Amino acid sequence: MADAEPENIARTSEPQASEQDAQQARRNSTRRKWLIRLGLLVLVVALLWGAWYLLFGRNHVSTDNAYVNAEMAQVTPLIGAQAIDVLVSDTQSVKKGDILVKLDPTNAQIAVAQAEADLAEARRRFRQTDATSDSLAAQVQARSADIVQARAQLTTAQADLEKARVDLQRREALVADGAVSGDEVTAAQTAYASARAALRLAQAGVKTAEATRGAATGQLEANQALVRGSTEDTDPAVLAAKARLESAKLDLERTTIRAPIDGVVTKRQVQVGQRVAQGSPIMSIVPISQVYVDANFKEKQLRGVRIGMPAKVTSDLYGGDVVYHGKIVGFSGGTGSSMALIPAQNATGNWIKVVQRLPLRIALDPKELAAHPLRVGLSMEVEIDLAD
């Protein structure tokens, strides 16, 4: 009996071992089938990826490092004054020419009134100068008449002197014969001296008259130089006064600040009663109908990229269902790191090459922008078709 029990145990263990071997074989077979299937799947995926890359992928570059940007307009007052009315607020849409802020016009109005008075004064001075020329011309003619009169007096004095000289010589010739008295000779000598003095006075009178006419002529020339070749409207002083008046009127117009472009108001920094400084920004206007995309591509991606190539752009705001069609309009003049506030200093001993990104600008279709407006700073994804 003891020998029969081991024999039975051996017969029972043999079927169990064969069954385990069969199960192991089935598992190995199943594993081989799945490995083959996985290998075939990887091969198919690799073939599909290779076909996609050859037919499509190698002709496309893309990036998600792209953002919406725009040429925003800064609104700055051109004069300093107090804000008396603010007509817009942040997020408000405005059209070009809409009134944004009104400044106190009192000082500007006073300046316009002063400029108008200065212009009237300049016109009055021109008319006065023009009329003075006629008066000075009359004075020159009067001085010419004085010269004629002085010369006539000089001729008379010369005749009187000649007569006195002849009388004196005649009486002096008769003194030896006693035909004339000493008193007569003395009287003749006195008359001669008086005639000679009168002649000198007449000569001085001619010179004085000539000098007076010269002075009058100089005044006339100087006065005519102020008006020669000019009219009341072309006189330099009048033109300068007109310019000051136009400047004052322009400052008065600038008390009303208007929108320079169409867009949306952002960063409003002015309140009623605040005194704004000339040239200090008080708000910005974003032209949402003219936004563009600045996309930052890796330098290796740009080997085949050229200006004018089409690009497809999607926004995180609308998702992949909304696709914008644009084109490349330009490349930045430098990489992002070179244009940073503190550019990288690569000329050092611890230099490590870092792939750089170059911004390029993509203009979008205005109709698509109107249908799906964007805002500055939104994230975008850009894909460029190099085959086109």
Side-chain angles (χ1 to χ4, degrees), residues 336-355:
S337 61
S338 66
M339 297 298 175
L341 183 61
I342 303 178
Q345 297 296 326
N346 295 330
T348 61
N350 300 323
W351 179 74
I352 298 176
K353 181 177 180 180
V354 178
V355 176

mmCIF file with all atom_site columns, all heavy atoms in Angstrom, residues 336-355:
data_model
loop_
_atom_site.group_PDB
_atom_site.id
_atom_site.type_symbol
_atom_site.label_atom_id
_atom_site.label_alt_id
_atom_site.label_comp_id
_atom_site.label_asym_id
_atom_site.label_entity_id
_atom_site.label_seq_id
_atom_site.pdbx_PDB_ins_code
_atom_site.Cartn_x
_atom_site.Cartn_y
_atom_site.Cartn_z
_atom_site.occupancy
_atom_site.B_iso_or_equiv
_atom_site.pdbx_formal_charge
_atom_site.auth_seq_id
_atom_site.auth_comp_id
_atom_site.auth_asym_id
_atom_site.auth_atom_id
_atom_site.pdbx_PDB_model_num
ATOM 1   N N   . GLY A 1 336 ? 14.095 89.034 -29.829 1.00 0.00 ? 336 GLY A N   1
ATOM 2   C CA  . GLY A 1 336 ? 13.482 89.535 -28.607 1.00 0.00 ? 336 GLY A CA  1
ATOM 3   C C   . GLY A 1 336 ? 14.485 89.815 -27.517 1.00 0.00 ? 336 GLY A C   1
ATOM 4   O O   . GLY A 1 336 ? 14.384 90.810 -26.795 1.00 0.00 ? 336 GLY A O   1
ATOM 5   N N   . SER A 1 337 ? 15.515 88.955 -27.395 1.00 0.00 ? 337 SER A N   1
ATOM 6   C CA  . SER A 1 337 ? 16.502 89.167 -26.335 1.00 0.00 ? 337 SER A CA  1
ATOM 7   C C   . SER A 1 337 ? 17.355 90.392 -26.604 1.00 0.00 ? 337 SER A C   1
ATOM 8   O O   . SER A 1 337 ? 17.750 91.107 -25.684 1.00 0.00 ? 337 SER A O   1
ATOM 9   C CB  . SER A 1 337 ? 17.392 87.931 -26.210 1.00 0.00 ? 337 SER A CB  1
ATOM 10  O OG  . SER A 1 337 ? 18.098 87.702 -27.428 1.00 0.00 ? 337 SER A OG  1
ATOM 11  N N   . SER A 1 338 ? 17.670 90.653 -27.886 1.00 0.00 ? 338 SER A N   1
ATOM 12  C CA  . SER A 1 338 ? 18.504 91.812 -28.205 1.00 0.00 ? 338 SER A CA  1
ATOM 13  C C   . SER A 1 338 ? 17.762 93.117 -27.990 1.00 0.00 ? 338 SER A C   1
ATOM 14  O O   . SER A 1 338 ? 18.376 94.161 -27.765 1.00 0.00 ? 338 SER A O   1
ATOM 15  C CB  . SER A 1 338 ? 18.991 91.740 -29.658 1.00 0.00 ? 338 SER A CB  1
ATOM 16  O OG  . SER A 1 338 ? 17.900 91.860 -30.561 1.00 0.00 ? 338 SER A OG  1
ATOM 17  N N   . MET A 1 339 ? 16.432 93.080 -28.073 1.00 0.00 ? 339 MET A N   1
ATOM 18  C CA  . MET A 1 339 ? 15.630 94.279 -27.877 1.00 0.00 ? 339 MET A CA  1
ATOM 19  C C   . MET A 1 339 ? 15.126 94.421 -26.440 1.00 0.00 ? 339 MET A C   1
ATOM 20  O O   . MET A 1 339 ? 14.343 95.327 -26.152 1.00 0.00 ? 339 MET A O   1
ATOM 21  C CB  . MET A 1 339 ? 14.435 94.271 -28.832 1.00 0.00 ? 339 MET A CB  1
ATOM 22  C CG  . MET A 1 339 ? 14.825 94.309 -30.291 1.00 0.00 ? 339 MET A CG  1
ATOM 23  S SD  . MET A 1 339 ? 15.730 95.814 -30.712 1.00 0.00 ? 339 MET A SD  1
ATOM 24  C CE  . MET A 1 339 ? 16.176 95.471 -32.423 1.00 0.00 ? 339 MET A CE  1
ATOM 25  N N   . ALA A 1 340 ? 15.550 93.526 -25.567 1.00 0.00 ? 340 ALA A N   1
ATOM 26  C CA  . ALA A 1 340 ? 15.112 93.590 -24.176 1.00 0.00 ? 340 ALA A CA  1
ATOM 27  C C   . ALA A 1 340 ? 15.723 94.799 -23.477 1.00 0.00 ? 340 ALA A C   1
ATOM 28  O O   . ALA A 1 340 ? 16.689 95.398 -23.947 1.00 0.00 ? 340 ALA A O   1
ATOM 29  C CB  . ALA A 1 340 ? 15.483 92.311 -23.437 1.00 0.00 ? 340 ALA A CB  1
ATOM 30  N N   . LEU A 1 341 ? 15.146 95.136 -22.334 1.00 0.00 ? 341 LEU A N   1
ATOM 31  C CA  . LEU A 1 341 ? 15.646 96.268 -21.563 1.00 0.00 ? 341 LEU A CA  1
ATOM 32  C C   . LEU A 1 341 ? 17.100 96.055 -21.156 1.00 0.00 ? 341 LEU A C   1
ATOM 33  O O   . LEU A 1 341 ? 17.908 96.981 -21.170 1.00 0.00 ? 341 LEU A O   1
ATOM 34  C CB  . LEU A 1 341 ? 14.770 96.481 -20.327 1.00 0.00 ? 341 LEU A CB  1
ATOM 35  C CG  . LEU A 1 341 ? 15.112 97.688 -19.446 1.00 0.00 ? 341 LEU A CG  1
ATOM 36  C CD1 . LEU A 1 341 ? 14.970 98.978 -20.238 1.00 0.00 ? 341 LEU A CD1 1
ATOM 37  C CD2 . LEU A 1 341 ? 14.241 97.713 -18.203 1.00 0.00 ? 341 LEU A CD2 1
ATOM 38  N N   . ILE A 1 342 ? 17.423 94.831 -20.807 1.00 0.00 ? 342 ILE A N   1
ATOM 39  C CA  . ILE A 1 342 ? 18.805 94.466 -20.478 1.00 0.00 ? 342 ILE A CA  1
ATOM 40  C C   . ILE A 1 342 ? 19.196 93.336 -21.429 1.00 0.00 ? 342 ILE A C   1
ATOM 41  O O   . ILE A 1 342 ? 18.926 92.164 -21.142 1.00 0.00 ? 342 ILE A O   1
ATOM 42  C CB  . ILE A 1 342 ? 18.952 94.023 -19.009 1.00 0.00 ? 342 ILE A CB  1
ATOM 43  C CG1 . ILE A 1 342 ? 18.448 95.134 -18.067 1.00 0.00 ? 342 ILE A CG1 1
ATOM 44  C CG2 . ILE A 1 342 ? 20.397 93.686 -18.696 1.00 0.00 ? 342 ILE A CG2 1
ATOM 45  C CD1 . ILE A 1 342 ? 18.508 94.761 -16.605 1.00 0.00 ? 342 ILE A CD1 1
ATOM 46  N N   . PRO A 1 343 ? 19.804 93.656 -22.576 1.00 0.00 ? 343 PRO A N   1
ATOM 47  C CA  . PRO A 1 343 ? 20.156 92.611 -23.548 1.00 0.00 ? 343 PRO A CA  1
ATOM 48  C C   . PRO A 1 343 ? 21.151 91.615 -22.960 1.00 0.00 ? 343 PRO A C   1
ATOM 49  O O   . PRO A 1 343 ? 21.973 91.944 -22.100 1.00 0.00 ? 343 PRO A O   1
ATOM 50  C CB  . PRO A 1 343 ? 20.763 93.400 -24.709 1.00 0.00 ? 343 PRO A CB  1
ATOM 51  C CG  . PRO A 1 343 ? 20.318 94.817 -24.512 1.00 0.00 ? 343 PRO A CG  1
ATOM 52  C CD  . PRO A 1 343 ? 20.157 94.993 -23.035 1.00 0.00 ? 343 PRO A CD  1
ATOM 53  N N   . ALA A 1 344 ? 21.085 90.373 -23.473 1.00 0.00 ? 344 ALA A N   1
ATOM 54  C CA  . ALA A 1 344 ? 22.015 89.344 -23.020 1.00 0.00 ? 344 ALA A CA  1
ATOM 55  C C   . ALA A 1 344 ? 23.425 89.671 -23.488 1.00 0.00 ? 344 ALA A C   1
ATOM 56  O O   . ALA A 1 344 ? 23.622 90.139 -24.612 1.00 0.00 ? 344 ALA A O   1
ATOM 57  C CB  . ALA A 1 344 ? 21.576 87.984 -23.565 1.00 0.00 ? 344 ALA A CB  1
ATOM 58  N N   . GLN A 1 345 ? 24.403 89.416 -22.624 1.00 0.00 ? 345 GLN A N   1
ATOM 59  C CA  . GLN A 1 345 ? 25.810 89.640 -22.943 1.00 0.00 ? 345 GLN A CA  1
ATOM 60  C C   . GLN A 1 345 ? 26.445 88.280 -23.237 1.00 0.00 ? 345 GLN A C   1
ATOM 61  O O   . GLN A 1 345 ? 26.832 87.546 -22.329 1.00 0.00 ? 345 GLN A O   1
ATOM 62  C CB  . GLN A 1 345 ? 26.504 90.357 -21.787 1.00 0.00 ? 345 GLN A CB  1
ATOM 63  C CG  . GLN A 1 345 ? 25.963 91.738 -21.507 1.00 0.00 ? 345 GLN A CG  1
ATOM 64  C CD  . GLN A 1 345 ? 26.185 92.696 -22.663 1.00 0.00 ? 345 GLN A CD  1
ATOM 65  O OE1 . GLN A 1 345 ? 27.183 92.612 -23.360 1.00 0.00 ? 345 GLN A OE1 1
ATOM 66  N NE2 . GLN A 1 345 ? 25.244 93.602 -22.883 1.00 0.00 ? 345 GLN A NE2 1
ATOM 67  N N   . ASN A 1 346 ? 26.540 87.957 -24.535 1.00 0.00 ? 346 ASN A N   1
ATOM 68  C CA  . ASN A 1 346 ? 27.078 86.647 -24.909 1.00 0.00 ? 346 ASN A CA  1
ATOM 69  C C   . ASN A 1 346 ? 28.597 86.621 -24.943 1.00 0.00 ? 346 ASN A C   1
ATOM 70  O O   . ASN A 1 346 ? 29.199 85.560 -25.041 1.00 0.00 ? 346 ASN A O   1
ATOM 71  C CB  . ASN A 1 346 ? 26.539 86.248 -26.285 1.00 0.00 ? 346 ASN A CB  1
ATOM 72  C CG  . ASN A 1 346 ? 25.029 86.048 -26.248 1.00 0.00 ? 346 ASN A CG  1
ATOM 73  O OD1 . ASN A 1 346 ? 24.481 85.672 -25.231 1.00 0.00 ? 346 ASN A OD1 1
ATOM 74  N ND2 . ASN A 1 346 ? 24.376 86.295 -27.368 1.00 0.00 ? 346 ASN A ND2 1
ATOM 75  N N   . ALA A 1 347 ? 29.229 87.790 -24.913 1.00 0.00 ? 347 ALA A N   1
ATOM 76  C CA  . ALA A 1 347 ? 30.697 87.848 -25.000 1.00 0.00 ? 347 ALA A CA  1
ATOM 77  C C   . ALA A 1 347 ? 31.312 87.603 -23.627 1.00 0.00 ? 347 ALA A C   1
ATOM 78  O O   . ALA A 1 347 ? 32.037 88.427 -23.081 1.00 0.00 ? 347 ALA A O   1
ATOM 79  C CB  . ALA A 1 347 ? 31.132 89.192 -25.565 1.00 0.00 ? 347 ALA A CB  1
ATOM 80  N N   . THR A 1 348 ? 30.989 86.464 -23.044 1.00 0.00 ? 348 THR A N   1
ATOM 81  C CA  . THR A 1 348 ? 31.544 86.107 -21.742 1.00 0.00 ? 348 THR A CA  1
ATOM 82  C C   . THR A 1 348 ? 32.104 84.691 -21.814 1.00 0.00 ? 348 THR A C   1
ATOM 83  O O   . THR A 1 348 ? 31.857 83.933 -22.761 1.00 0.00 ? 348 THR A O   1
ATOM 84  C CB  . THR A 1 348 ? 30.463 86.166 -20.644 1.00 0.00 ? 348 THR A CB  1
ATOM 85  O OG1 . THR A 1 348 ? 29.431 85.221 -20.956 1.00 0.00 ? 348 THR A OG1 1
ATOM 86  C CG2 . THR A 1 348 ? 29.847 87.563 -20.580 1.00 0.00 ? 348 THR A CG2 1
ATOM 87  N N   . GLY A 1 349 ? 32.828 84.312 -20.809 1.00 0.00 ? 349 GLY A N   1
ATOM 88  C CA  . GLY A 1 349 ? 33.421 82.979 -20.802 1.00 0.00 ? 349 GLY A CA  1
ATOM 89  C C   . GLY A 1 349 ? 32.401 81.880 -20.582 1.00 0.00 ? 349 GLY A C   1
ATOM 90  O O   . GLY A 1 349 ? 32.594 80.744 -21.009 1.00 0.00 ? 349 GLY A O   1
ATOM 91  N N   . ASN A 1 350 ? 31.297 82.171 -19.905 1.00 0.00 ? 350 ASN A N   1
ATOM 92  C CA  . ASN A 1 350 ? 30.289 81.158 -19.596 1.00 0.00 ? 350 ASN A CA  1
ATOM 93  C C   . ASN A 1 350 ? 29.147 81.229 -20.603 1.00 0.00 ? 350 ASN A C   1
ATOM 94  O O   . ASN A 1 350 ? 27.992 81.349 -20.238 1.00 0.00 ? 350 ASN A O   1
ATOM 95  C CB  . ASN A 1 350 ? 29.760 81.351 -18.172 1.00 0.00 ? 350 ASN A CB  1
ATOM 96  C CG  . ASN A 1 350 ? 30.845 81.239 -17.140 1.00 0.00 ? 350 ASN A CG  1
ATOM 97  O OD1 . ASN A 1 350 ? 31.747 80.428 -17.294 1.00 0.00 ? 350 ASN A OD1 1
ATOM 98  N ND2 . ASN A 1 350 ? 30.775 82.044 -16.096 1.00 0.00 ? 350 ASN A ND2 1
ATOM 99  N N   . TRP A 1 351 ? 29.483 81.168 -21.881 1.00 0.00 ? 351 TRP A N   1
ATOM 100 C CA  . TRP A 1 351 ? 28.467 81.325 -22.913 1.00 0.00 ? 351 TRP A CA  1
ATOM 101 C C   . TRP A 1 351 ? 27.789 79.998 -23.205 1.00 0.00 ? 351 TRP A C   1
ATOM 102 O O   . TRP A 1 351 ? 28.437 78.962 -23.370 1.00 0.00 ? 351 TRP A O   1
ATOM 103 C CB  . TRP A 1 351 ? 29.096 81.870 -24.194 1.00 0.00 ? 351 TRP A CB  1
ATOM 104 C CG  . TRP A 1 351 ? 28.091 82.022 -25.302 1.00 0.00 ? 351 TRP A CG  1
ATOM 105 C CD1 . TRP A 1 351 ? 27.134 82.976 -25.412 1.00 0.00 ? 351 TRP A CD1 1
ATOM 106 C CD2 . TRP A 1 351 ? 27.952 81.188 -26.440 1.00 0.00 ? 351 TRP A CD2 1
ATOM 107 N NE1 . TRP A 1 351 ? 26.393 82.811 -26.550 1.00 0.00 ? 351 TRP A NE1 1
ATOM 108 C CE2 . TRP A 1 351 ? 26.886 81.700 -27.212 1.00 0.00 ? 351 TRP A CE2 1
ATOM 109 C CE3 . TRP A 1 351 ? 28.620 80.046 -26.902 1.00 0.00 ? 351 TRP A CE3 1
ATOM 110 C CZ2 . TRP A 1 351 ? 26.465 81.120 -28.396 1.00 0.00 ? 351 TRP A CZ2 1
ATOM 111 C CZ3 . TRP A 1 351 ? 28.209 79.473 -28.087 1.00 0.00 ? 351 TRP A CZ3 1
ATOM 112 C CH2 . TRP A 1 351 ? 27.158 79.998 -28.817 1.00 0.00 ? 351 TRP A CH2 1
ATOM 113 N N   . ILE A 1 352 ? 26.468 80.017 -23.254 1.00 0.00 ? 352 ILE A N   1
ATOM 114 C CA  . ILE A 1 352 ? 25.672 78.846 -23.615 1.00 0.00 ? 352 ILE A CA  1
ATOM 115 C C   . ILE A 1 352 ? 24.735 79.264 -24.739 1.00 0.00 ? 352 ILE A C   1
ATOM 116 O O   . ILE A 1 352 ? 24.014 80.261 -24.624 1.00 0.00 ? 352 ILE A O   1
ATOM 117 C CB  . ILE A 1 352 ? 24.848 78.324 -22.425 1.00 0.00 ? 352 ILE A CB  1
ATOM 118 C CG1 . ILE A 1 352 ? 25.781 77.888 -21.288 1.00 0.00 ? 352 ILE A CG1 1
ATOM 119 C CG2 . ILE A 1 352 ? 23.962 77.175 -22.855 1.00 0.00 ? 352 ILE A CG2 1
ATOM 120 C CD1 . ILE A 1 352 ? 25.060 77.453 -20.041 1.00 0.00 ? 352 ILE A CD1 1
ATOM 121 N N   . LYS A 1 353 ? 24.762 78.532 -25.837 1.00 0.00 ? 353 LYS A N   1
ATOM 122 C CA  . LYS A 1 353 ? 23.909 78.875 -26.978 1.00 0.00 ? 353 LYS A CA  1
ATOM 123 C C   . LYS A 1 353 ? 22.449 78.635 -26.631 1.00 0.00 ? 353 LYS A C   1
ATOM 124 O O   . LYS A 1 353 ? 22.072 77.559 -26.169 1.00 0.00 ? 353 LYS A O   1
ATOM 125 C CB  . LYS A 1 353 ? 24.295 78.049 -28.206 1.00 0.00 ? 353 LYS A CB  1
ATOM 126 C CG  . LYS A 1 353 ? 23.445 78.397 -29.419 1.00 0.00 ? 353 LYS A CG  1
ATOM 127 C CD  . LYS A 1 353 ? 23.875 77.621 -30.645 1.00 0.00 ? 353 LYS A CD  1
ATOM 128 C CE  . LYS A 1 353 ? 23.005 77.981 -31.838 1.00 0.00 ? 353 LYS A CE  1
ATOM 129 N NZ  . LYS A 1 353 ? 23.396 77.250 -33.070 1.00 0.00 ? 353 LYS A NZ  1
ATOM 130 N N   . VAL A 1 354 ? 21.647 79.659 -26.855 1.00 0.00 ? 354 VAL A N   1
ATOM 131 C CA  . VAL A 1 354 ? 20.205 79.595 -26.628 1.00 0.00 ? 354 VAL A CA  1
ATOM 132 C C   . VAL A 1 354 ? 19.509 79.916 -27.941 1.00 0.00 ? 354 VAL A C   1
ATOM 133 O O   . VAL A 1 354 ? 19.850 80.896 -28.604 1.00 0.00 ? 354 VAL A O   1
ATOM 134 C CB  . VAL A 1 354 ? 19.764 80.594 -25.530 1.00 0.00 ? 354 VAL A CB  1
ATOM 135 C CG1 . VAL A 1 354 ? 18.257 80.546 -25.355 1.00 0.00 ? 354 VAL A CG1 1
ATOM 136 C CG2 . VAL A 1 354 ? 20.472 80.297 -24.225 1.00 0.00 ? 354 VAL A CG2 1
ATOM 137 N N   . VAL A 1 355 ? 18.568 79.071 -28.317 1.00 0.00 ? 355 VAL A N   1
ATOM 138 C CA  . VAL A 1 355 ? 17.828 79.309 -29.557 1.00 0.00 ? 355 VAL A CA  1
ATOM 139 C C   . VAL A 1 355 ? 17.063 80.620 -29.424 1.00 0.00 ? 355 VAL A C   1
ATOM 140 O O   . VAL A 1 355 ? 16.317 80.829 -28.464 1.00 0.00 ? 355 VAL A O   1
ATOM 141 C CB  . VAL A 1 355 ? 16.872 78.150 -29.859 1.00 0.00 ? 355 VAL A CB  1
ATOM 142 C CG1 . VAL A 1 355 ? 16.036 78.449 -31.098 1.00 0.00 ? 355 VAL A CG1 1
ATOM 143 C CG2 . VAL A 1 355 ? 17.655 76.863 -30.049 1.00 0.00 ? 355 VAL A CG2 1
#
